[in-house]
Amino acid sequence: MIHLPSIIKIALRALRVNKMRSALTMLGIIIGVAAVITMLAVGKGASDKISDQIATVGSNLIIVVPGSTTAGGVRMGSGSFQSLTRGDADAISSESSVMLAAPVISGASQVVYGNANWATSVVGTTHDMLGVRDWTLASGRNFYEQEIRSAAKVCLLGQTVADNLFGNANPLDQTIRIRKVPFTVVGVLGSKGQSMMGQDQDDIIYVPVTAAERNLFGRRIPGSVHYIMVKAVNTEELSRAEEQIRQLLRQRHRIGPDQDDDFTVRNLTQMLQLTEQASRVMSLLLAAIAGVSLLVGGIGIMNIMLVSVTERTREIGIRMAVGAKTWDIRTQFIIEALILSMIGGLIGILLGVGFAEILSHFTGWTILISPFSIAMSFGFSALIGIFFGFYPAYKASLLDPIDALRHE
Amino acid sequence: MTLIKTNQLEKKYDVGDTIVHALDRVSVRIDAGEFVAVMGPSGSGKSTFMNVIGCLDKSTAGLYLLDGIDVSRMERDELARIRNEKIGFVFQGFNLLSRTSALENVEVPLLYQRNGVSPKERKDRARQVLAMLGLEDRQHHHPNQLSGGQQQRVAIARALVNNPPLLLADEPTGNLDTKTSIEIMELFVRLNEEKHITIVLVTHEPDISAYSRRMIRFLDGQVVNDEVNRP
């Protein structure tokens, strides 16, 4: 076989002779690879972000909210009807497909510690909430069941609240005031960061649901809650859990067969998973379009290589006359196509990475450029060079040396 | 020692309803060290003879032994190897690679050598041959920067770089003026006499064929005359 560095040198010289043509030929590959890199970066970034959010919200989550009330013909909107109770939550938690259920009464409150104060959302719930939302504790402990029953004035602080009220001091066993009512801090939650909507999930205080009702947010119907958060035993049981909850609540609320539910069951995880799926489909679709552009680029390379073979028929004849074999000629033209597509691929990768960065800078999208996508695009463009370079190379290698030498 | 031996060599072309005998039972023997001119009008078969002898074309029947090897039934790549090792070509139109220096042009046959020649050795050998032909100061010139005579000398250097036993020249002076033609022919004579290289030269010019020591004349695909010019 012919010496490889020499053949590369010959190929580079041939490509340099027609600089403009070589550049234009590469353009298809450049655009294709740049598009693949950008699409994969944006798509991967989006789906990773959604996965992260699923992880922070908590997995296998169902939320049950009360139905709407009608007051003199004016519909009050979801949650206005105080139909859900703590008893409902207890009943739901004993369903077979449900792992945990936590009732919630929440409201915004100004909280005070010493001379620091902070406005945050105060959520009355039970000790089960930590399990439902996959919260960890940074320090301290969860509520005791006893504290829920006795409406103990204890609380768990989110990281943001702890930071704002206590700074670097230890909040445990300190007393803060929520709506002037003193609550003792028994634990500090681990950090979850921002939610999908950009909300700070750590800006929160948990208190026993009973204490919230008695001391903070009085309820018109005692025992009623704003909503109930439910964790199903696993992803497969999610829809069965939804159905069980619906049946149970219809029974508990004595809803007749032809009456509408006075509550709504929503599957939070499913919504996120659908979003994730949609973003994955979207990025696949765009990658497919980019793939088509790569294919077109490859055909462009084949086209130019065929022209090049015709133009250089005499050169091929000379090389054959002095002893070039079939594969010497073939290798030479394949290497040329390969160099075209690989240089195109490299430029495309640089452009794609640059474009993805610019895009994320101006739109704020999360992008993720994986080494895999770079390696894949580079490998794919090389493959295109070999694949589309082969036919012109094959044609060149089969020329008759006498005809080729006579070619003008 | 016999370098070329053909026996009843035939080359037939099927042109529609007639068959053209480009070579018709040609039996020729050429010894090592000879300087032979192949003459004949166009269409006489001298070019076909040249192509078959040069392993660029295959005969349809008959036998051809080159340096004792039967090459008449060889495959494409085997013929390429024979051309690379045993034959140097000089063409009328020089056939140098454009945009490629004289040195690199001379290196080309070494590029396709079976055993592989290192880039350094290629350069050294190409340089030596160019120097032998008085082109040491033209190594880095491209063909378009060289005169016709210089280009043909580069082509001769390329033909000689692999030390082949046989040099085939097809109308080597056809594109050159008289003065340069004489220079090139004198170079051939020198190569034949000093380096003992066998030369087979195709020409239709009697002035040119006069430099050879033997003349083979073709007509209608057959050898019609074979005589010694000068001892």
Side-chain angles (χ1 to χ4, degrees):
Chain A
M1 186 49 73
I2 176 168
H3 187 240
L4 197 64
S6 313
I7 212 165
I8 290 173
K9 210 172 135 194
I10 294 168
L12 285 175
R13 182 192 341 234
L15 295 176
R16 258 202 315 270
V17 167
N18 287 302
K19 281 192 204 69
M20 190 63 177
R21 194 164 85 183
S22 303
L24 287 173
T25 310
M26 282 179 211
L27 206 55
I29 298 287
I30 293 175
I31 293 173
V33 169
V36 168
I37 294 278
T38 312
M39 294 315 156
L40 288 179
V42 171
K44 186 90 176 76
S47 73
D48 274 17
K49 197 174 171 187
I50 294 166
S51 305
D52 282 356
Q53 276 157 358
I54 291 177
T56 62
V57 167
S59 52
N60 307 327
L61 277 190
I62 292 170
I63 182 164
V64 186
V65 296
S68 60
T69 53
T70 310
V74 181
R75 301 189 68 199
M76 304 300 281
S78 179
S80 55
F81 189 45
Q82 300 189 358
S83 60
L84 291 175
T85 64
R86 297 205 294 266
D88 289 338
D90 285 344
I92 288 170
S93 66
S94 43
E95 288 294 326
S96 61
S97 57
V98 172
M99 186 188 278
L100 294 166
V104 170
I105 302 173
S106 67
S109 274
Q110 202 71 20
V111 293
V112 181
Y113 171 76
N115 51 11
N117 72 95
W118 185 249
T120 185
S121 78
V122 177
V123 175
T125 183
T126 67
H127 55 289
D128 284 334
M129 180 53 96
L130 267 56
V132 171
R133 291 279 323 264
D134 298 326
W135 278 106
T136 55
L137 277 166
S139 62
R141 59 169 176 87
N142 195 354
F143 301 131
Y144 296 132
E145 225 176 313
Q146 161 65 19
E147 289 169 329
I148 308 293
R149 255 178 279 136
S150 64
K153 284 179 271 187
V154 290
C155 64
L156 301 171
L157 302 186
Q159 281 289 344
T160 308
V161 179
D163 290 348
N164 280 288
L165 289 184
F166 293 92
N168 292 326
N170 183 5
L172 290 184
D173 299 324
Q174 301 299 314
T175 302
I176 61 167
R177 285 168 187 278
I178 307 171
R179 295 199 174 175
K180 299 200 177 79
V181 183
F183 279 79
T184 306
V185 179
V186 296
V188 178
L189 300 167
S191 179
K192 269 182 185 285
Q194 288 196 347
S195 75
M196 183 158 51
M197 315 307 170
Q199 208 176 11
D200 180 3
Q201 299 185 90
D202 298 326
D203 194 0
I204 196 164
I205 296 177
Y206 284 129
V207 297
V209 62
T210 43
E213 182 185 324
R214 189 177 300 168
N215 301 310
L216 301 174
F217 318 114
R219 302 290 285 172
R220 200 152 34 85
I221 302 167
S224 71
V225 296
H226 284 131
Y227 57 91
I228 300 169
M229 288 196 88
V230 182
K231 188 181 186 68
V233 288
N234 56 42
T235 315
E236 290 69 41
E237 292 289 305
L238 263 174
S239 45
R240 200 164 72 87
E242 276 183 83
E243 196 45 42
Q244 280 187 339
I245 293 165
R246 186 169 289 119
Q247 294 302 335
L248 175 79
L249 291 180
R250 283 182 73 88
Q251 205 184 357
R252 281 179 63 91
H253 297 180
R254 297 194 179 79
I255 298 166
D258 50 351
Q259 279 178 285
D260 288 338
D261 293 347
D262 62 353
F263 58 87
T264 311
V265 180
R266 280 195 221 124
N267 182 338
L268 277 183
T269 313
Q270 202 172 41
M271 279 161 54
L272 286 170
Q273 278 167 346
L274 281 175
T275 324
E276 185 185 26
Q277 215 167 32
S279 91
R280 201 174 294 155
V281 168
M282 195 63 187
S283 67
L284 266 179
L285 201 75
L286 292 168
I289 294 169
V292 169
S293 141
L294 272 181
L295 200 72
V296 173
I299 293 169
I301 286 184
M302 178 153 80
N303 194 13
I304 287 304
M305 290 310 294
L306 283 172
V307 171
S308 175
V309 167
T310 308
E311 281 178 354
R312 285 153 66 194
T313 300
R314 210 161 142 87
E315 176 195 325
I316 296 165
I318 295 169
R319 291 184 185 278
M320 283 175 166
V322 301
K325 297 185 187 67
T326 315
W327 272 102
D328 292 331
I329 300 293
R330 233 172 256 182
T331 313
Q332 185 185 330
F333 282 93
I334 290 174
I335 293 276
E336 242 181 82
L338 191 63
I339 289 175
L340 268 180
S341 69
M342 289 206 312
I343 294 178
L346 272 180
I347 298 173
I349 287 169
L350 292 179
L351 273 181
V353 169
F355 193 65
E357 295 286 355
I358 290 169
L359 208 62
S360 95
H361 184 254
F362 284 104
T363 61
W365 294 349
T366 315
I367 59 153
L368 205 141
I369 298 159
S370 66
F372 168 77
S373 72
I374 289 179
M376 192 202 68
S377 332
F378 190 65
F380 198 61
S381 49
L383 219 64
I384 278 183
I386 294 175
F387 184 79
F388 287 100
F390 187 82
Y391 176 66
Y394 175 80
K395 257 190 89 168
S397 71
L398 290 191
L399 286 171
D400 178 57
I402 299 166
D403 291 343
L405 278 170
R406 276 198 209 115
H407 193 270
E408 281 310 312
Chain B
M1 204 189 98
T2 311
L3 184 64
I4 291 172
K5 184 174 165 51
T6 72
N7 192 16
Q8 301 287 317
L9 209 59
E10 279 188 34
K11 179 73 182 176
K12 285 188 236 172
Y13 292 105
D14 208 345
V15 193
D17 42 23
T18 54
I19 291 172
V20 177
H21 281 255
L23 287 183
D24 191 2
R25 285 161 295 163
V26 175
S27 299
V28 173
R29 217 188 89 181
I30 297 172
D31 286 337
E34 282 198 74
F35 189 165
V36 182
V38 176
M39 305 274 295
S42 59
S44 62
K46 63 180 193 302
S47 285
T48 307
F49 178 71
M50 193 74 172
N51 288 338
V52 172
I53 293 298
C55 296
L56 286 167
D57 204 352
K58 281 206 269 188
S59 57
T60 42
L63 193 71
Y64 170 29
L65 296 179
L66 173 62
D67 211 5
I69 306 162
D70 180 9
V71 296
S72 40
R73 293 294 165 265
M74 273 190 174
E75 291 303 319
R76 218 181 145 86
D77 280 356
E78 293 174 295
L79 288 175
R81 188 167 63 82
I82 294 288
R83 289 197 296 271
N84 183 254
E85 292 171 0
K86 306 241 180 246
I87 303 165
F89 288 98
V90 178
F91 304 97
Q92 179 177 1
F94 320 135
N95 274 340
L96 296 175
L97 299 180
S98 57
R99 298 190 190 86
T100 306
S101 71
L103 190 67
E104 285 168 303
N105 261 294
V106 178
E107 280 182 53
V108 174
L110 298 173
L111 204 59
Y112 299 112
Q113 237 197 27
R114 188 163 42 149
N115 302 322
V117 185
S118 75
K120 192 188 170 299
E121 196 191 335
R122 284 207 307 262
K123 254 188 187 63
D124 288 346
R125 280 175 63 181
R127 220 173 258 140
Q128 278 172 27
V129 184
L130 280 174
M132 186 179 92
L133 301 185
L135 289 164
E136 53 268 79
D137 55 340
R138 292 287 183 272
Q139 287 175 27
H140 302 294
H141 287 57
H142 286 196
N144 58 0
Q145 298 165 316
L146 297 171
S147 71
Q150 285 168 335
Q151 286 187 59
Q152 195 59 300
R153 274 190 286 159
V154 172
I156 294 168
R158 180 179 66 193
L160 295 177
V161 75
N162 252 349
N163 298 315
L166 177 62
L167 191 69
L168 287 181
D170 190 0
E171 307 270 11
T173 56
N175 285 13
L176 301 173
D177 58 44
T178 317
K179 188 172 158 281
T180 320
S181 295
I182 292 168
E183 277 173 30
I184 293 293
M185 288 322 295
E186 279 169 353
L187 175 59
F188 278 131
V189 170
R190 208 183 90 207
L191 288 170
N192 176 248
E193 284 173 359
E194 290 173 13
K195 307 271 173 194
H196 309 291
I197 296 167
T198 315
I199 298 175
V200 177
L201 174 128
V202 170
T203 185
H204 60 269
E205 292 174 69
D207 294 352
I208 297 302
S209 66
Y211 286 90
S212 70
R213 288 196 276 177
R214 175 180 164 190
M215 263 196 285
I216 297 176
R217 198 175 293 275
F218 273 79
L219 194 67
D220 296 332
Q222 289 178 317
V223 176
V224 290
N225 193 13
D226 189 346
E227 61 185 24
V228 173
N229 239 357
R230 57 184 170 90

